[in-house]
Amino acid sequence: MYDPKGKAFWLGRLAGHQSYVEETTWYSEGGEENYGGGFWKYSKRFKELTLEGPYGAEDLLIKVSSRLAFSTSGYNWPAARIANLVPA
């Protein structure tokens, strides 16, 4: 990500987001007490953005790597070469 005002680059990463499922109790028709929740789970919808920087253009290198083809029900990504900015 480039910041034109500061003339600097920020490196961003998306990571999984965890949310806590509150513990609950309830009674079944037979009077038996049941428990649920009380654990952390990864969200299917949300991600956490972490920014690292700022870096000047002279402080970054271009790393080229290959990506394999990947398909889902709605998208197709062909195999390709990709470039990432990494700190020098």
Side-chain angles (χ1 to χ4, degrees), residues 7 9 55-61 86-88:
K7 296 182 180 177
F9 288 91
Y55 293 101
E58 65 278 359
D59 299 328
L60 297 172
L61 297 174
V86 295

Side-chain angles (χ1 to χ4, degrees), residues 5-38:
K5 186 175 181 182
K7 296 182 180 177
F9 288 91
W10 290 83
L11 303 180
R13 297 199 192 311
L14 286 175
H17 173 76
Q18 287 187 329
S19 59
Y20 185 72
V21 178
E22 293 291 334
E23 186 174 340
T24 60
T25 60
W26 68 95
Y27 293 94
S28 64
E29 291 181 10
E32 188 176 314
E33 188 173 15
N34 296 298
Y35 299 91

Side-chain angles (χ1 to χ4, degrees), residues 1 11 21 24 29-30 38 43 48 58 67 72 74 77-79 83 88:
M1 190 181 313
L11 303 180
V21 178
T24 60
E29 291 181 10
S43 172
E48 292 184 17
E58 65 278 359
R67 179 186 68 201
T72 64
W77 290 274

Side-chain angles (χ1 to χ4, degrees), residues 34-49:
N34 296 298
Y35 299 91
F39 58 90
W40 290 89
K41 72 172 194 165
Y42 280 98
S43 172
K44 294 180 182 178
R45 182 175 181 183
F46 299 106
K47 299 284 183 197
E48 292 184 17
L49 173 64

